């Protein structure tokens, strides 16, 4: 049986007529590209005007909340930049639908907001289907109603499992299906959006539902880089990376691909190719379940290095804690009861340390949280050992099984006078985490990159 590809085009790939043209040619060039997921027009590459530099979704949100920053004419402008307003009837129907949504205050605010916010993708899918037909394809718009069923968490919907069986009805299509990204319908039948960037998730779920041979994610960079290009000049591209490795990097802020979007494709074992609309013949990055290395490749086992700041380390000290049954559980319970979640946990004979994301603390609450943990655990001392640390994540295939990686990381940091405050190795064989002073975060990424990725 013929296997088809799901291709998702992000906002920058559809931001103006030039980009729409490039995306259309990509679809035309491969008959297996049968399922096309579209984002709303995003920022125009190298665009100058404010509107060119603004995503349609942001304009729609502004109109929905009525903050006065944008007007309906800015929506018109976004579509006229794409050239797709030439499909006059569809465009006029779309704009009328938007106006009526904006004037409808009879529905709850969050429902109204998500309806308006999702119009960018929906309108774009209708127009692109028409555009594909005008370019010789046999294309059809299909919306998420009765297919993509999601929870009622407006602005942060979760895909419900029943969606996969429903989407399977789209298998073996003869037509090119154009499907809007970013939203589904909840059980009450209302448009409900995913978190921002959520069209990636639509593509991933659709790929599993129709059992696609792969999921292409067309964007504006040549795949995924080994380090943040804002920190390292011209970082090396990653030809192939496993889902697990990429999740480690995404956790540290690599945002090429929506983090939740990886999960359906990962479970379905579907390869994701991150590709560049502006350089379609480039290799991009393949995200796969497993990647092979031969012995000569060992020095290239690393795929990337990233950092994230804004953490603290809380120490809970009690002499003889190692002999006390249930102490660890008590600490975790106290953390949970304080409404906190923790990132990492380390321990020694008399001390247990938890690494917490500082953004969870409301101003002035830390002392009461410390008091609560102290009371509940009966600890001798609870204190903030490190106030402001960054976590450096060195990611690669089976780092746990390779000798000398940690020593090279430590050496590279020491050469730049960066002290290691904590290390967390071994839980995931593909990652090594180091805590360092926040101010050294970027420098540390540069040091590790230089050590492993430059000759
Ligand atoms: N248009 C939406 C956003 O800007 C969703 C997406 O592009 O994936 O977040």
């Amino acid at each position: 049986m013929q296997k088809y590809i799901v291709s998702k085009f992000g906002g920058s790939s559809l931001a103006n007529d030039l980009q729409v043209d490039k995306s259309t040619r990509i679809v035309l060039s491969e008959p297996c590209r049968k399922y096309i997921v579209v984002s709303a027009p995003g920022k125009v590459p190298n665009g100058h005007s404010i509107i060119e530099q603004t995503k349609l979704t942001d304009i729609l949100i502004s109109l929905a909340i009525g903050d006065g920053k944008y007007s309906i004419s800015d929506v018109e402008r976004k579509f006229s930049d794409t050239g797709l307003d030439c499909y006059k009837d569809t465009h006029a129907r779309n704009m009328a639908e938007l106006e009526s949504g904006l004037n409808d205050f009879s529905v709850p605010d969050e429902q109204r907001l998500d309806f308006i916010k999702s119009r960018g993708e929906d309108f774009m899918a209708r127009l692109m289907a028409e555009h594909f037909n005008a370019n010789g394809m046999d294309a059809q718009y299909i919306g998420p109603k009765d297919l993509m069923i999601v929870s009622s968490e407006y602005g942060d919907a979760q895909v419900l499992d029943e969606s996969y069986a429903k989407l399977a009805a789209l298998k073996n299509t003869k037509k090119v299906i154009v499907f809007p990204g970013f939203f589904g319908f909840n059980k009450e039948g209302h448009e409900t959006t995913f978190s921002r960037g959520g069209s990636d998730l639509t593509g991933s779920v659709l790929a599993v539902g129709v059992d696609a041979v792969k999921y292409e994610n067309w964007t504006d960079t040549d795949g995924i880089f080994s380090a943040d290009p804002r920190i390292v000049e011209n970082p090396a591209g990653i030809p192939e990376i496993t889902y697990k490795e990429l999740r480690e990097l995404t956790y540290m802020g690599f945002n090429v691909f929506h983090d939740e979007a990886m999960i359906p494709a990962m479970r379905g074992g579907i390869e994701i190719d991150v590709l560049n609309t502006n350089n379609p013949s480039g290799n991009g990055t393949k995200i796969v379940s497993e990647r092979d290395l031969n012995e000569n490749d060992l020095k290239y086992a690393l795929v990337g290095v990233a950092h994230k700041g804004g953490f603290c380390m809380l120490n809970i000290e009690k002499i003889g804690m190692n002999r006390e049954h249930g102490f660890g559980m008590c600490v975790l319970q106290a953390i949970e009861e304080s409404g906190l979640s923790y990132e990492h946990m380390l321990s020694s004979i008399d001390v247990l340390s938890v690494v917490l994301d500082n953004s969870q603390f409301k101003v002035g609450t830390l002392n009461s949280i410390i008091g609560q943990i102290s009371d509940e655990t009966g600890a001798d001392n609870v204190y903030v050992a490190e106030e402001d640390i960054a976590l450096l994540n060195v990611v690669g295939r089976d780092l746990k099984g390779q000798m000398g990686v940690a020593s090279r990381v430590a050496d590279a940091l020491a050469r730049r006078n960066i002290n290691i405050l904590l290390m967390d190795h071994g839980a995931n064989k593909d990652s090594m985490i180091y805590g360092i002073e926040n101010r050294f975060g970027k420098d540390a990424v540069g040091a590790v990159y230089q050590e492993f990725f430059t000759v």
Side-chain angles (χ1 to χ4, degrees):
M1 197 198 298
Q2 179 82 55
K3 284 284 202 172
Y4 292 129
I5 299 171
V6 170
S7 308
K8 178 250 164 180
F9 290 88
S12 64
S13 303
L14 299 167
N16 64 8
D17 49 355
L18 201 69
Q19 297 301 96
V20 166
D21 192 45
K22 288 180 194 169
S23 301
T24 306
R25 268 188 275 152
I26 289 167
V27 178
L28 272 168
S29 67
E30 170 53 77
C32 288
R33 293 187 176 121
K34 285 281 192 200
Y35 302 92
I36 312 303
V37 175
V38 295
S39 285
K43 295 184 189 179
V44 175
N46 307 317
H48 298 297
S49 71
I50 304 238
I51 296 304
E52 281 177 329
Q53 289 169 29
T54 309
K55 296 179 176 188
L56 175 60
T57 308
D58 289 313
I59 297 175
L60 293 170
I61 293 171
S62 155
L63 291 178
I65 59 179
D67 64 8
K69 280 199 197 147
Y70 299 99
S71 66
I72 280 268
S73 63
D74 296 323
V75 178
E76 286 280 8
R77 174 72 198 282
K78 279 311 264 187
F79 282 107
S80 99
D81 281 354
T82 66
L84 297 172
D85 57 347
C86 71
Y87 304 107
K88 288 200 168 58
D89 291 349
T90 309
H91 179 62
R93 263 199 309 276
N94 289 345
M95 293 306 289
E97 185 176 306
L98 176 62
E99 294 242 21
S100 92
L102 285 169
N103 291 327
D104 183 5
F105 292 95
S106 67
V107 296
D109 284 353
E110 50 183 13
Q111 182 186 318
R112 179 176 167 274
L113 173 63
D114 271 24
F115 173 74
I116 293 164
K117 213 164 122 184
S118 62
R119 295 308 80 201
E121 273 68 14
D122 210 37
F123 295 172
M124 200 58 188
R126 296 175 199 178
L127 291 165
M128 284 300 284
E130 212 162 329
H131 188 60
F132 286 162
N133 284 323
N135 281 276
M137 287 180 239
D138 183 11
Q140 182 186 5
Y141 157 87
I142 294 202
K145 188 144 182 69
D146 301 325
L147 294 171
M148 184 73 77
I149 319 297
V150 302
S151 66
S152 287
E153 291 148 280
Y154 286 101
D156 191 22
Q158 305 291 308
V159 177
L160 302 184
D161 281 347
E162 62 202 81
S163 303
Y164 295 101
K166 297 199 188 264
L167 287 165
L170 304 179
K171 269 186 196 173
N172 306 323
T173 175
K174 296 234 170 1
K175 289 177 183 277
V176 172
I177 289 177
V178 188
F179 199 93
F182 191 39
F183 72 102
F185 280 77
N186 64 16
K187 293 267 187 188
E188 289 77 46
H190 304 305
E191 291 83 352
T192 312
T193 62
F194 301 131
S195 55
R196 291 300 300 269
S199 300
D200 285 348
L201 179 57
T202 306
S204 184
V205 172
L206 183 59
V208 175
V210 300
D211 194 18
V213 67
K214 73 174 144 179
Y215 169 29
E216 293 177 341
N217 198 278
W218 291 91
T219 177
D220 55 3
T221 62
D222 280 318
I224 302 170
F225 299 111
S226 312
D228 186 335
R230 288 167 302 186
I231 299 177
V232 172
E233 212 181 307
N234 285 329
I238 304 177
E240 203 174 48
I241 185 168
T242 65
Y243 302 110
K244 285 187 183 156
E245 288 167 338
L246 185 56
R247 274 189 63 70
E248 286 289 338
L249 292 171
T250 309
Y251 166 55
M252 293 286 138
F254 268 45
N255 56 6
V256 179
F257 197 71
H258 191 283
D259 59 343
E260 283 170 43
M262 229 156 352
I263 298 168
M266 177 165 123
R267 294 209 175 116
I270 293 175
E271 175 183 312
I272 305 171
D273 291 0
V274 181
L275 298 159
N276 189 353
T277 309
N278 305 314
N279 179 24
S281 56
N283 292 334
T285 299
K286 289 188 190 325
I287 310 171
V288 293
S289 314
E290 290 293 335
R291 62 186 182 99
D292 291 332
L293 287 180
N294 62 43
E295 259 172 50
N296 301 331
D297 281 339
L298 276 187
K299 74 179 180 128
Y300 299 116
L302 250 69
V303 287
V305 54
H307 86 293
K308 190 174 174 188
F311 298 96
C312 72
M313 186 164 143
L314 203 63
N315 277 9
I316 297 115
E317 235 175 70
K318 188 169 189 190
I319 302 292
M321 159 186 112
N322 62 319
R323 294 180 61 94
E324 209 176 295
H325 288 285
F327 186 79
M329 191 197 77
C330 213
V331 170
L332 291 183
Q333 201 168 340
I335 288 175
E336 193 213 312
E337 281 167 13
S338 309
L340 300 174
S341 68
Y342 73 95
E343 308 291 320
H344 298 276
M345 180 175 263
L346 303 114
S347 60
S348 71
I349 185 161
D350 295 324
V351 186
L352 219 154
S353 298
V354 282
V355 176
L356 303 163
D357 188 332
N358 279 332
S359 66
Q360 306 179 88
F361 303 118
K362 293 195 191 79
V363 184
T365 55
L366 188 56
N367 280 344
S368 71
I369 287 169
I370 288 177
Q372 195 173 336
I373 293 176
S374 182
D375 291 348
E376 282 181 34
T377 56
D380 301 330
N381 197 4
V382 181
Y383 58 96
V384 179
E386 303 294 340
E387 264 179 25
D388 195 17
I389 51 177
L391 298 176
L392 178 76
N393 201 349
V394 180
V395 179
R397 183 176 174 276
D398 194 18
L399 299 184
K400 190 169 164 179
Q402 294 182 53
M403 236 178 305
V405 179
S407 90
R408 284 176 68 187
V409 172
D411 249 3
L413 296 179
R415 281 198 299 272
R416 299 229 189 160
N417 282 325
I418 302 173
N419 186 27
I420 297 172
L421 302 169
L422 68 92
M423 292 190 269
D424 194 355
H425 294 177
N428 178 353
K429 64 183 175 46
D430 296 336
S431 108
M432 293 177 160
I433 290 185
Y434 299 83
I436 52 179
E437 267 184 67
N438 209 3
R439 64 194 169 112
F440 294 136
K442 288 183 183 165
D443 214 11
V445 168
V448 173
Y449 184 86
Q450 194 178 26
E451 172 67 27
F452 289 95
F453 292 88
T454 57
V455 204

